[in-house]
């Protein structure tokens, strides 16, 4: 069975042969560890594929990972202070409500970057302005949402033309231990947006993969209703027990292992963490995938320990 | 004589115009500005903090309440200044070097203002020396450090060390917070306190400065 076949068996609850595993290394992590990281990558071809030494430009970051300011297609001004990590929006094109009325989203296809819907709203308005909008619910709030959604629907049409097996989305909906807005308001204003976008994916035969940072327990049911097939939630912000309760068996979980702890743990802790996750979320029919993202403060030995542990637990069978 | 129930309710419900109006009314009735602030506005905001802790209020409700409180304080400010009433204390808040997450830091600032503190916002990606410089310049009593990334937690330690090495550590209390922060970490790096959210941050600030809650 190929890795891809197995991957979709896991996402589709179709009895995979192993638990799909994935480790991602931030550009800043490469820049810090360089050849030493390359060694680890070459030790685990199952995880990283065949890697040719010297094939990574350690300091050659893609566009927005570079230090500095740039403006995106929506007119949002980004600033990055830490090369190799993401930046943030410091210039919001719609600081006043009346700006929303005349606002025109990009007319062409510009892609659906991380933060395509909810985050896009606050990138455009500014976080506090948007929160006040959610409190007061002026007509401009719905107007803004409609404009962003209309553009996004066009993006989805373009995306599914190529008939992908899976469409990948990312939007951070939660904070560390609560949702920014009341779940009822989320259901009223945001759920329909995701539902419309994801319906188009399904109509084109694509599975929907969605990443969200933060605590989202209260809305996981709604994300499933909206059409999410594979969810990528953070362990730390949600809690394994809660995830098992609301998501296990209902949606495939590509578990974002607790990267907020990786820098501080010993290899033994890492193994205990993965074991606990697998024991709570594994089912022979599938629905569990494991993901670990490594920021530059994770010690090399923990990166290696994570790879070893994932290699061991991918064959877990209860 | 009217009590402050209605004023408090209006703060909690985020009714900006009514808050300003009621504050004026209480002043007209002969209440002092300090009394209106201490017994009307601030207790209203304290209830908002509770509701936030308990998961009844979310960020929009909290910001609306803060705005209404500010509308009340605007009315009181000239009177407070004239009668030489000082803010509870001065807090310098910032996100540490390398980190740009500012939503949590801003919410803490909002709630501290709602608790009667004066807050100086140092912004994001603030180097250790800058914190010390701003603390001196503004005569801050309390420093609030925010970090949302494990990668920038060491900047908190660097900042505390900078206060130490520049001989200013004794002049300030230092509290820390942000998603990955724990009490354990605060103890480890010699911070004076840690709080999990904006509402607890106000309680912590009061405790650290010995201000009655
Ligand atoms: C929104 C967000 C962003 C936005 C920030 C927008 C902004 N203007 O702030 C953007 C998209 C820019 C961003 C960027 C990044 N982010 Co980010 N982000 C988040 C997210 C989803 C929510 C944070 C937030 O705003 N919460 C809302 C506020 C209200 O909560 P809070 O900040 O925790 O604050 C409360 C308390 O902590 C406390 N508090 C906060 N500060 C203080 C200070 C004091 C003194 C006290 C007492 C209390 C206190 O009170 C606050 C209010 O109650 C979190 C997820 C999470 N689990 O938290 C990830 C998260 C923090 N980000 C993460 C990452 C990895 C990044 C990036 C590195 C991404 C990348 N791939 O490059 C970049 C880093 C950029 C940089 N150099 O800083 C990771 C960090 C992991 C780690 N190793 O620690 C998280 C945890 C997500 C994850 N999947 O793990 N992010």
């Amino acid at each position: 069975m190929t890795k891809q076949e197995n991957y979709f068996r896991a996402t589709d609850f179709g009895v995979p042969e192993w638990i799909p595993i994935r480790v991602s290394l931030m550009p800043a992590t490469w820049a810090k560890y360089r050849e030493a990281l390359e060694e680890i990558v070459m030790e685990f071809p199952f995880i990283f594929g065949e890697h040719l030494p010297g094939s990574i430009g350690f300091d050659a970051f893609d566009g927005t990972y570079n230090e500095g300011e740039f403006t995106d297609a929506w007119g949002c001004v980004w600033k990055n202070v830490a090369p190799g990590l993401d930046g943030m929006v410091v210039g919001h094109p719609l600081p006043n409500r009346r700006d929303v009325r005349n606002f025109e989203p990009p007319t062409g296809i510009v892609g659906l970057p991380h933060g395509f819907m909810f985050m896009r709203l606050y990138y455009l308005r500014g976080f506090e302005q948007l929160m006040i909008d959610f409190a007061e619910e002026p007509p401009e709030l719905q107007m803004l949402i409609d404009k962003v959604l209309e553009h996004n629907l066009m993006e989805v049409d373009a995306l599914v033309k190529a008939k992908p097996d899976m469409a990948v989305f990312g939007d951070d909906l939660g904070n560390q231990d609560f949702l920014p807005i009341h779940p009822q308001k989320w259901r009223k204003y945001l759920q329909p947006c995701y539902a419309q976008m994801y319906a188009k994916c399904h109509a084109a035969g694509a599975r929907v993969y969605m990443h969200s940072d933060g605590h989202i327990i209260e809305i996981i049911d709604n994300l499933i209703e909206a059409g999410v097939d594979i969810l990528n939630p953070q362990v730390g912000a949600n809690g394994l027990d809660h995830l098992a309760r609301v998501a296990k068996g209902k949606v495939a979980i590509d578990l974002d292992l607790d990267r907020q702890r990786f820098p501080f743990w010993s290899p033994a802790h890492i193994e205990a963490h993965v074991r606990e996750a697998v024991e709570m979320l594994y089912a022979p029919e599938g629905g569990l995938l494991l993901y670990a993202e490594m920021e530059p403060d994770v010690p090399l030995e923990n990166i290696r320990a994570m790879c070893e542990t994932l290699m061991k637990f991918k064959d877990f069978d209860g | 004589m009217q009590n402050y129930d209605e004023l408090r309710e209006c703060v909690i419900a985020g009714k900006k115009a009514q808050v300003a109006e009621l504050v004026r009314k209480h002043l007209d009735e002969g209440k002092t500005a300090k009394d209106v602030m201490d017994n009307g506005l601030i207790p209203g905001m304290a209830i908002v903090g509770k509701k936030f802790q308990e998961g009844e209020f979310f960020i929009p409700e909290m910001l609306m309440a803060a705005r209404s409180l500010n509308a009340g304080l605007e009315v009181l400010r000239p009177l407070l200044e004239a009668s030489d009433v000082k803010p509870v204390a001065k807090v310098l808040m910032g996100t540490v070097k390398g980190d740009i997450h500012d939503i949590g830091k801003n919410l803490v600032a909002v709630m501290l203002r709602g608790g009667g503190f004066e807050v100086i916002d140092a912004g994001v990606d603030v180097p250790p020396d800058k914190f010390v410089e701003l603390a001196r310049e503004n005569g801050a009593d309390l420093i609030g450090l925010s970090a949302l990334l494990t990668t920038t937690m060491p900047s908190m330690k660097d900042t505390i060390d900078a206060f130490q090495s520049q001989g200013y550590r004794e002049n300030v209390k230092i509290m820390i917070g942000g998603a990955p922060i724990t009490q354990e970490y605060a103890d480890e790096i010699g911070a004076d306190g840690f709080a999990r959210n904006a509402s607890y941050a106000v309680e912590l600030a009061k405790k650290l400065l010995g201000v009655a809650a």
Side-chain angles (χ1 to χ4, degrees):
Chain A
M1 182 173 318
T2 67
K3 269 185 166 178
Q4 198 190 15
E5 281 163 3
N6 186 67
Y7 186 91
F8 289 127
R9 282 213 189 176
T11 61
D12 301 350
F13 295 88
V15 192
E17 278 181 12
W18 67 89
I19 301 171
I21 55 175
R22 201 156 54 96
V23 174
S24 95
L25 307 163
M26 293 299 290
T29 312
W30 275 113
K32 178 171 172 192
Y33 293 125
R34 317 173 83 85
E35 286 82 6
L37 186 57
E38 204 157 47
E39 243 171 61
I40 298 182
V41 163
M42 287 188 293
E43 266 173 57
F44 298 96
F46 183 87
I47 298 178
F48 299 104
E50 291 304 329
H51 179 86
L52 294 176
S55 63
I56 293 257
F58 299 131
D59 303 299
F61 302 139
D62 284 346
T64 60
Y65 280 129
N66 286 297
E67 199 162 350
E69 279 196 15
F70 79 101
T71 304
D72 69 19
W74 296 76
C76 301
V77 183
W78 290 75
K79 182 174 178 187
N80 190 334
V81 302
L85 299 177
D86 286 328
M88 79 152 171
V89 175
V90 292
H92 309 288
L94 312 176
N96 303 301
R97 274 193 192 148
R98 62 174 183 279
D99 303 331
V100 171
R101 295 184 172 266
N102 306 320
F103 175 62
E104 284 173 31
T107 44
I109 295 300
V110 297
L112 285 166
H114 176 252
F116 62 95
M117 193 67 234
F118 174 62
M119 293 177 97
R120 180 54 71 186
L121 301 177
Y122 73 77
Y123 291 168
L124 289 165
R125 287 283 283 128
F127 185 76
E128 289 184 20
Q129 302 304 328
L130 184 75
M131 290 298 113
I132 298 290
D133 289 345
F134 272 110
E136 295 183 337
E137 306 186 75
E140 287 85 355
L141 173 61
Q142 191 60 55
M143 212 175 280
L144 178 68
I145 291 173
D146 290 344
K147 288 184 184 199
V148 173
L149 175 63
E150 193 185 326
H151 175 86
N152 284 349
L153 289 170
M154 183 177 87
E155 293 281 353
V156 176
D157 285 336
L159 183 78
V160 299
K161 268 213 185 90
K163 295 274 168 206
D165 294 314
M166 179 167 91
V168 178
F169 299 89
D171 205 5
D172 298 340
L173 305 177
N175 302 332
Q176 183 67 17
D177 41 30
F178 62 101
L179 287 164
I181 61 174
H182 198 289
Q184 266 161 356
K185 288 205 173 162
W186 187 89
R187 288 175 197 128
K188 174 173 167 192
Y189 288 101
L190 287 154
Q191 184 175 349
C193 303
Y194 299 107
Q196 286 182 59
M197 292 176 68
Y198 298 163
K200 279 183 182 283
C201 297
H202 287 163
R207 301 167 183 81
V208 171
Y209 178 105
M210 184 178 186
H211 157 84
S212 169
D213 276 354
H215 176 97
I216 51 171
I217 288 297
E218 291 81 3
I219 55 169
I220 286 184
D221 271 346
N222 308 106
L223 287 168
I224 298 171
E225 276 165 33
V228 174
D229 300 303
I230 304 125
L231 184 66
N232 173 228
Q234 261 186 274
V235 170
N238 292 294
L240 273 177
D241 44 345
H242 294 295
L243 284 174
R245 177 172 52 81
V246 301
K248 186 179 177 185
K250 298 185 205 156
V251 63
I253 304 172
D254 186 15
L255 193 67
D256 198 342
L257 292 160
D258 198 352
R259 63 173 102 163
Q260 287 170 301
R261 309 301 310 154
F262 297 164
F264 312 109
W265 274 341
S266 66
H269 278 120
I270 289 188
E271 168 153 355
H273 173 59
V274 175
R275 177 188 299 279
E276 189 190 7
V278 169
E279 282 174 353
M280 284 187 79
L281 297 174
Y282 171 83
E285 61 272 26
L288 174 64
L289 304 87
L290 297 170
Y291 172 63
E293 183 171 307
M294 300 295 172
E295 265 100 47
D297 57 347
V298 183
L300 268 182
E301 62 162 341
N302 285 3
I303 299 181
R304 176 175 281 114
M306 179 56 84
C307 295
E308 281 167 356
T309 306
L310 289 175
M311 286 303 290
K312 180 166 149 194
F313 280 95
K314 78 179 175 42
D315 296 317
F316 183 91
D317 58 5
Chain B
M1 280 285 272
Q2 203 191 353
N3 66 20
Y4 290 121
D5 289 352
E6 195 185 350
L7 177 58
R8 275 182 221 154
E9 285 309 317
C10 287
V11 169
I12 296 166
K15 294 181 176 158
K16 216 161 109 178
Q18 278 103 311
V19 167
E21 194 181 306
L22 283 168
V23 165
R24 277 190 209 99
K25 213 167 103 193
H26 287 300
L27 292 172
D28 288 347
E29 283 167 1
K31 299 266 172 59
T32 65
K34 186 162 168 33
D35 192 56
V36 177
M37 180 170 80
D38 290 349
N39 299 313
L41 295 177
I42 292 180
M45 204 58 193
I47 297 172
V48 171
K50 282 251 143 45
K51 288 183 184 284
F52 180 69
Q53 279 171 13
E54 286 159 7
E56 182 184 339
F57 272 15
F58 290 77
I59 296 177
E61 294 77 23
M62 189 160 152
L63 289 175
M64 288 296 285
R67 288 195 170 191
S68 68
L69 173 109
N70 283 338
L73 286 178
E74 276 314 302
V75 179
L76 296 178
R77 187 153 299 130
L79 297 165
L80 291 170
E81 277 165 16
S83 53
D84 215 23
V85 175
K86 297 259 177 311
V88 178
K90 275 192 196 172
V91 189
L92 175 69
M93 280 291 306
T95 303
V96 297
K97 175 88 194 129
D99 204 321
I100 51 172
H101 293 82
D102 66 354
I103 297 173
K105 178 222 11 130
N106 293 346
L107 275 192
V108 173
V110 160
M111 287 305 284
L112 285 171
R113 289 195 182 104
F117 291 87
E118 179 180 335
V119 181
I120 304 133
D121 185 358
V124 300
D125 187 28
V126 183
D129 291 347
K130 187 78 192 168
F131 273 110
V132 184
E133 185 190 318
L134 287 172
R136 276 185 208 274
E137 236 175 71
N138 293 285
D141 309 289
L142 174 64
I143 315 297
L145 306 178
S146 182
L148 264 283
L149 299 170
T150 54
T151 48
T152 55
M153 287 165 63
S155 308
M156 293 182 143
K157 178 167 190 313
D158 296 346
T159 307
I160 295 178
D161 292 349
F163 274 96
Q164 199 77 49
S165 66
Q166 297 183 33
Y168 207 67
R169 182 67 181 91
E170 302 306 314
N171 302 57
V172 293
K173 296 281 183 198
I174 301 180
M175 61 176 185
I176 66 173
I181 310 300
T182 57
Q183 181 60 50
E184 206 185 333
Y185 186 70
D187 296 340
E188 188 186 315
I189 64 169
D192 298 304
F194 152 78
R196 245 188 53 227
N197 67 33
S199 175
Y200 290 122
V202 180
E203 292 171 18
L204 173 65
K206 289 188 171 162
K207 197 180 103 198
L208 291 177
L209 297 171
V211 181

